[in-house]
């Protein structure tokens, strides 16, 4: 109370009530303070201030709130936390006394003043703290508050999210430059929350976009494409989300191929001539350590090959060894790291090593005795890597083996010759032979010595100290010493003992004695005639033949008992006496000193009487006989040695003997292939003893009119009743008869026996006259004389022949063929290998077995073309006009003859219609450099080998190689289609010879009157074909130059002049076209002309067309003939063909009309382009052959065909029998012998003929024939050679040559070889 009325203000704890802004506090109108709904916090000091203008007064009181029901000051609210974090559920309550707080979940007390459970804690504020929170903690929680004044509760929901974490963190990563790097950042999170990925590089956030090469995938992976060195660094992946944050870091490295080594230098190695030193500067390693270096080299422009494959990474230089002298080398080096092999360094300049003598000897030295004074030596060149230069030839040296004498030498001056016949040697002497190659630097290493003997000769001296004496009546003993060893001239094969009767020198008995190298030699000749004068001699022999015999010595064989007396007969037969007569023995065997005659009563030895007579007595009368008594009378001659054989007979006194009777009852048994037993009953003996039995027979042909021949005789078997008949022919019909002979004469013949047939036996002999000759490249023809019927020894139906053959150079089993026809005389053995020698034998057989084999014969199949191509063909362009080809030889089994050389077939792909060829002579050169090729053109290349027969198979697949690029030729067809007073438009076409990829064009122009160096130059792109020059002076002459560019630089310019005027028209056609006859050849001509008016616009070029008469179309020959030309050579024409030509000019306005055509011009003749075809040679008579052929194609005649020439020669090499055949296993030696000993003859034949007979040829010789066609210019190439054997007349073809078409032999003169016209390759090596 006061005046004026005071103003009241309330304070609680010194704070104005108005500032507290508590809605429960309200100042009443009466000035009091009302507090509604007291709370404990309302306790405090309350002050009341009253003031007016008169002053101020205050009073205070303390309010203490003690009992208040609980009231929530902050209720629990729904809360979301992350798994593993701490969750706090708030629950703030006021009241007095202070309420007790209890937290429950589903009636389970979690926390209160008296309850504590792990992870659950009651806070001072009344809230509930859960630490850490698990997923299973999610749910409803209730806060209970109570005091004495009351209680209350409130609930809230706790949501627990799965924690966000990186489970696949990025890892340190190394990628290759240019590839894509992926850094993964895989995370797990609660699906109810979203994630945000933040990638940083070196702590700087990346901001990828959809078009950037850096992309963050939906799964958080970072993709960096086209990586490079700028991407190297530390990358961190951060994940931001309501479920938590996480981050990881990784390192990214980008590696690449190492760069090429720099400053590669090559220098010779002063200490080793076969090595060079390479050095280089270490390159950038591509962020990956260099593992090693690779050194490659190119030898003689060959393809690059690895020489050193593992040079240490610390090296910056290396010595390259193992190089070959006289070869050029280039080197390049590259580095290798874990990414791979980097680029090669720049190639070194080409370095040639100095030439050195060959470092290896020739190989495969083979020496074989050719004659007794010559040795053929053959070899192969040293390995090519050991040539050390260009081989110039070989030195062959030889000397006597085992002796220290000096060598003799032969110089083979051609490296292509790999054989030498060393002559004038000593007979049967061993030589040691060596061969060395030489080049421009000197002689190389000699080969290991090979030894060989010259062939044996015949001995030149007889055996020495020859002594001969008779050791008995039929044997002479020889004693001798060998000839001196130096005169044997070979291997002593033995001795021949010779003896011949003095009165019959042609009846020489020869006994061969093997050599005995110990002491005096001895031998005997037996079965000589008794008591005969013989001349004796001894000779020594070797394989080639007999030496001279020793001086003949006369020797008598010793005496012996004489043979039986001849012609014992009886006359004057009386009762008591008879006369006995005889003749001297045919075999006296000594000097007959007398005769002894004895007689006795038949069967009574005690009655025997003997009487001796002198040598001149040849009859004796025996007296005192008893009448009608049978006596045995014996007569024998006597020499000093004793009594000879007794001739005995029986006779009855008083009864003269009669002719005997015929035998009977002939029975045949024990029949075998070659004998039978004949049993018989003897006939009447004619009152005297039977002295001989005679068996006759009909052989084969049986009949009453057939001839009987004597088969067997048996003597001195008077009581015989059975005879063994020998020497019969197997499988032959026989019928026998016989007669008996006594002292009077023969009996009549017995009755004939039954017909028998001897058993079969294998043939006794082989077919005779077996010869073999070449039939074709893969076949041999064997001929023989069939066995006669008498030698079948069996059923003719079972007789045939078996042939076996084998390669001479292989120890392989023989192949057999059977000929079933017994009358067959020849057989062709097929499917043999080309150009191969075979050995053959044949035998006859029947049902019982096979006979003996014939002597071995040898034959060689004919040479053929190679059946395979050279191998390992490679090509490399070495310049813009050269390609180097290399290859290896045709496999030996496919050469099929002597390789004379190689042909390279090459064609500019899509440019040349037909391939051209390049010939490399010889079999040792296996590389070739093709020169003069078009620049930057793709070529197709093949290589084939050829023999004298023809070309082999080209190599496949085609080798494709492009020549290197070069500066281009000038652009063509330059015209100015639009010319104004101040501008011109120039149009052109690309160069006809681009020589590479055209990169652009340069146009340069200037006033014709200005300085030559004041050109305005403009460059345009490679696809531009026109250009407009502006700001030119009117009515002025300008010079334009146009050139093209490749990577090798600017090419030759094309220059043209143009006048800036609008007064122009088309040009007039050229005129006065003329082809001078002197300028016409077989394949070209020269056209000249006079240009027409240029229409006030310079001529830019001429176009020429050619037409082949009579029906050809006009063909454009060239459309880019220079505007300055007034003549042009037209080539690629056909010989002996008529043509017409015409010409037109082109200026900037357009083309002129074509000129008038020229008169018809005929090219000259040329040699025929191909030989006659299908040439065959067939035996016609025993001394002639028929040659047939097909004419060449008309388009290849190249003129008027005048005729054909047939060249033929006798081939010296013809395999015969095994003892006569020449064995020339080396094809080179064979070819040398063929060419050295053969010559050609030539026969001309009419042009209308297709056959000709060659006559007066030698029988049984092999000839080789080739043919050519000819005109007035010359001859065509030769046909492939054909071979024919002369001496066998064709039994089928009978030809009569008559009429005008019969070929006449116009000339038959020796001719060494046909003249080689043009490219006659088939005759190479003839």
């Amino acid at each position: 109370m006061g005046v004026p009325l005071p103003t009241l203000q309330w304070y609680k704890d010194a704070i104005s009530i108005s500032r507290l802004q508590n809605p429960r506090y309200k100042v009443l109108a009466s000035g009091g303070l009302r507090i509604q709904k007291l709370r404990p916090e309302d306790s405090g000091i309350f002050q009341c201030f009253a003031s007016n203008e008169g002053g101020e007064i205050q009073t205070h009181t303390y309010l203490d709130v003690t009992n208040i029901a609980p009231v929530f000051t902050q209720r629990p609210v729904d809360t979301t936390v992350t798994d593993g974090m701490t969750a706090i559920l708030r629950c703030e309550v006021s009241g007095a006394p202070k309420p007790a707080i209890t937290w429950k979940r589903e009636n389970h007390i979690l926390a209160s003043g008296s309850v504590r459970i792990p992870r659950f804690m009651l806070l001072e504020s009344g809230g509930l703290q859960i630490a850490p929170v698990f997923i299973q903690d999610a749910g409803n929680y209730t806060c209970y508050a109570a005091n004495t004044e009351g209680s209350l509760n409130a609930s809230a929901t706790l949501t627990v999210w799965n924690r966000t974490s990186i489970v696949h963190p990025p890892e340190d990563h190394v990628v290759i430059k240019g590839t894509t790097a992926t850094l993964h950042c895989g995370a797990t999170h609660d699906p109810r929350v979203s994630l945000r990925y933040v990638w940083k590089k070196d702590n700087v956030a990346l901001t990828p976009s959809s078009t950037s090469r850096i992309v963050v995938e939906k799964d958080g992976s970072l993709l960096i494409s086209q990586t490079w060195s700028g991407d190297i660094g530390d990358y961190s992946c951060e994940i931001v989300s309501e479920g938590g944050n996480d981050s990881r870091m990784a390192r990214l490295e980008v590696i690449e191929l190492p760069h090429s080594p720099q400053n590669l230098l090559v220098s010779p190695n002063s200490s080793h001539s076969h090595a060079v030193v390479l050095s280089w500067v270490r390159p950038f390693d591509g962020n990956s350590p260099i593992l090693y270096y690779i050194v490659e080299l190119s030898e003689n422009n060959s393809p690059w090959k690895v020489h050193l494959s593992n040079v240490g990474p610390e090296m910056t230089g290396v010595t390259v060894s193992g190089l070959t002298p006289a070869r050029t080398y280039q080197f390049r080096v590259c580095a290798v790291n874990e990414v791979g092999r980097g680029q090669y360094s720049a190639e070194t300049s080409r370095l040639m090593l100095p030439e050195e003598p060959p470092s290896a000897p020739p190989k495969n030295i083979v020496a074989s005795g050719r004659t007794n004074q010559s040795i053929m030596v053959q070899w192969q060149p040293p390995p090519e890597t050991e040539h050390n230069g260009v081989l110039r030839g070989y030195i062959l040296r030889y000397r006597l083996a085992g002796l220290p004498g000096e060598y003799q030498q032969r110089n083979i001056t051609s490296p292509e010759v790999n054989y030498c016949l060393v002559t004038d040697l000593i007979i049967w002497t061993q030589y040691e032979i060596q061969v060395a190659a030489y080049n421009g630097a000197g002689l190389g290493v000699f080969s290991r010595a090979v030894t060989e003997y010259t062939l044996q000769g015949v001995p030149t001296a007889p055996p020495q100290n020859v002594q001969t004496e008779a050791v008995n009546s039929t044997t002479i003993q020889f004693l001798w010493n060998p000839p001196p060893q130096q005169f044997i001239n070979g291997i002593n094969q033995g001795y021949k003992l010779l003896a011949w009767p003095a009165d019959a020198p042609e009846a020489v008995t020869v006994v061969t004695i093997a050599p005995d190298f110990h002491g005096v030699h001895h031998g005997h000749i037996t079965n000589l005639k008794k008591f005969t004068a013989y001349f004796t001699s001894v000779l020594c022999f070797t394989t080639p033949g007999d030496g001279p015999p020793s001086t003949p010595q006369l020797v008598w064989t010793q005496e012996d008992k004489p043979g039986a007396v001849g012609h014992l007969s009886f006359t004057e037969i009386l009762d008591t006496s008879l006369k006995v007569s005889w003749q001297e023995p045919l075999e006296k065997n000594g000097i007959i000193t007398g005769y002894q005659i004895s007689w006795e009563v038949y069967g009574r030895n005690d009655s025997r009487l003997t009487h001796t007579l002198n040598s001149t007595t040849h009859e004796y009368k025996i007296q005192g006989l008893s009448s009608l008594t049978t006596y045995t009378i014996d007569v024998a001659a006597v020499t000093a040695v004793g009594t000879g054989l007794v001739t005995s007979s029986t006779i009855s006194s008083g009864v003269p003997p009669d002719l005997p009777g015929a035998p009977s009852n002939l029975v045949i048994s024990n029949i075998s292939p070659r004998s039978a037993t004949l049993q018989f009953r003897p006939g009447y003996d004619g009152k005297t003893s039977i002295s001989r039995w005679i068996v006759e027979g009909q052989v084969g042909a049986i009949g009453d009119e057939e001839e009987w021949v004597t088969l067997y005789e048996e003597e001195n078997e008077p009581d015989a009743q059975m005879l063994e008949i020998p020497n019969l022919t197997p499988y032959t019909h026989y019928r026998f008869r016989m007669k008996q002979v006594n002292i009077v004469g023969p009996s009549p013949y017995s009755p004939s026996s039954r017909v028998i047939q001897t058993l079969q036996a294998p043939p006794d002999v082989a077919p005779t006259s077996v010869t073999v000759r070449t039939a074709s490249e893969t076949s041999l023809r064997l001929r023989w004389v069939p066995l006669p019927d008498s030698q079948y020894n069996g059923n003719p139906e079972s007789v045939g022949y078996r042939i076996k053959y084998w390669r001479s150079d292989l120890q392989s089993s023989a192949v057999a063929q059977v000929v079933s026809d017994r009358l067959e005389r020849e057989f062709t053995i097929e499917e043999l290998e080309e150009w191969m020698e075979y050995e053959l034998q044949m035998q006859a057989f029947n049902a019982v077995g096979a006979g003996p084999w014939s002597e071995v014969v040898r034959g060689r199949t004919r040479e053929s073309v190679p059946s395979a191509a050279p191998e390992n063909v490679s090509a490399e362009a070495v310049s813009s006009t050269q390609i180097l080809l290399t290859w290896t030889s045709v496999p030996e089994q496919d050469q099929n003859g002597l390789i004379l050389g190689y042909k390279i077939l090459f064609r500019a792909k899509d440019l040349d219609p037909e391939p051209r060829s390049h010939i490399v002579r010889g079999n040792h050169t296996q590389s070739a450099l093709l020169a003069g090729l078009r620049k930057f053109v793709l070529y197709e290349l093949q290589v084939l080998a050829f023999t004298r027969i023809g070309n082999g198979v080209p190599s496949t697949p085609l080798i494709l190689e492009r020549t290197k690029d070069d500066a281009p030729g000038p652009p063509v067809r330059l015209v100015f289609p639009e010319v104004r007073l101040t501008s011109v438009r120039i149009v052109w076409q690309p160069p006809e010879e681009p020589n590479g990829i055209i990169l652009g064009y340069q146009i340069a122009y200037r006033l014709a009157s200005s300085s030559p160096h004041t050109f305005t130059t403009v460059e345009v792109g490679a696809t531009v074909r026109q250009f407009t020059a502006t700001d030119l002076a009117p009515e002025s002459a300008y010079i334009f130059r146009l050139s093209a560019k490749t990577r090798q630089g600017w090419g030759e310019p094309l220059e043209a002049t143009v006048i800036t005027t609008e007064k122009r028209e088309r040009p007039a056609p050229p005129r006065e076209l003329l082809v001078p006859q002197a300028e016409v050849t077989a394949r070209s001509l020269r056209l000249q002309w006079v240009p027409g008016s240029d229409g006030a616009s310079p001529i830019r070029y001429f176009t020429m067309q050619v037409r082949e008469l009579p029906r050809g179309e006009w063909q454009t020959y060239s459309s880019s003939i220079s505007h300055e030309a007034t003549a042009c050579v037209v080539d690629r024409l056909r010989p002996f063909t008529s043509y017409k030509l015409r010409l037109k000019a082109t200026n900037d306005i357009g083309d002129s009309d074509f000129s008038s055509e020229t008169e018809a011009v005929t090219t000259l003749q040329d040699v025929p382009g191909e030989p006659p075809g299908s040439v065959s040679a067939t035996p016609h008579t025993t001394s002639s052959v028929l040659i047939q052929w097909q004419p060449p194609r008309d388009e290849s005649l190249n003129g008027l065909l005048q005729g054909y020439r047939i060249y033929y020669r006798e081939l010296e090499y013809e395999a015969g029998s095994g003892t006569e055949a020449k064995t020339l296993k080396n094809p080179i030696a064979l070819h040398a012998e063929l060419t050295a000993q053969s010559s050609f003859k030539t026969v001309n034949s009419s042009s209308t003929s297709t056959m000709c007979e060659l006559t007066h040829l030698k029988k049984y010789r092999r000839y080789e024939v080739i043919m050519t066609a000819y005109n007035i210019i010359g001859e065509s190439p030769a046909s492939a050679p054909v071979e024919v054997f002369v001496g066998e007349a064709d039994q089928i073809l009978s030809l009569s040559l008559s009429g005008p078409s019969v070929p006449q032999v116009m000339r038959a003169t020796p001719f060494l070889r046909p003249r080689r016209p043009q490219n006659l390759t088939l005759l190479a090596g003839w």
Side-chain angles (χ1 to χ4, degrees), residues 337-359:
N337 61 10
E338 69 171 302
V339 179
R341 185 169 64 184
Q343 290 187 345
Y344 281 98
S345 64
E347 302 163 1
T348 64
S349 57
R350 192 164 292 280
L351 174 69
M352 173 175 279
L353 297 186
E355 191 173 26
E356 294 182 5
S359 53

Side-chain angles (χ1 to χ4, degrees), residues 166-179:
I166 297 174
V167 293
H168 296 295
E171 297 177 348
D172 292 346
H173 201 28
V174 177
V175 297
I176 298 173
K177 179 181 179 180
T179 62

Side-chain angles (χ1 to χ4, degrees), residues 628-667:
L628 299 177
T629 301
T630 300
Y631 286 88
T632 299
I633 300 173
D634 298 333
V635 179
V638 179
T639 64
V641 177
T643 302
L645 294 175
V646 174
T647 300
S648 179
S649 185
T650 61
I651 192 167
S652 297
S653 59
V655 181
D658 298 328
L659 288 172
S664 61
N665 297 346
L666 273 61
V667 176

Side-chain angles (χ1 to χ4, degrees), residues 974-980 984-986 1035-1038 1040 1056-1069 1091-1102 1123-1124 1145-1152:
L974 174 66
V975 295
F976 297 84
E978 293 182 9
V979 177
R980 301 286 184 263
V984 296
R985 183 163 64 93
I986 178 174
E1035 301 294 338
S1036 300
Y1038 279 85
F1040 278 77
T1057 301
V1058 64
I1059 301 172
T1060 53
T1061 181
E1062 297 179 345
K1063 304 171 183 177
R1064 302 186 305 164
E1065 59 185 18
R1066 294 176 182 270
S1093 168
D1094 63 5
S1097 177
I1099 301 296
R1100 301 305 178 192
Y1101 56 87
F1102 294 99
H1123 63 282
E1124 298 176 344
T1146 301
N1147 64 7
D1148 298 335
I1149 302 303
D1151 298 333
S1152 72

Side-chain angles (χ1 to χ4, degrees), residues 875 909 938-941 957-962:
K909 184 175 172 51
L938 187 64
Y939 278 86
E940 297 175 343
L941 304 113
L958 289 169
I959 301 295
L960 298 177
E961 182 68 9
R962 187 183 295 277

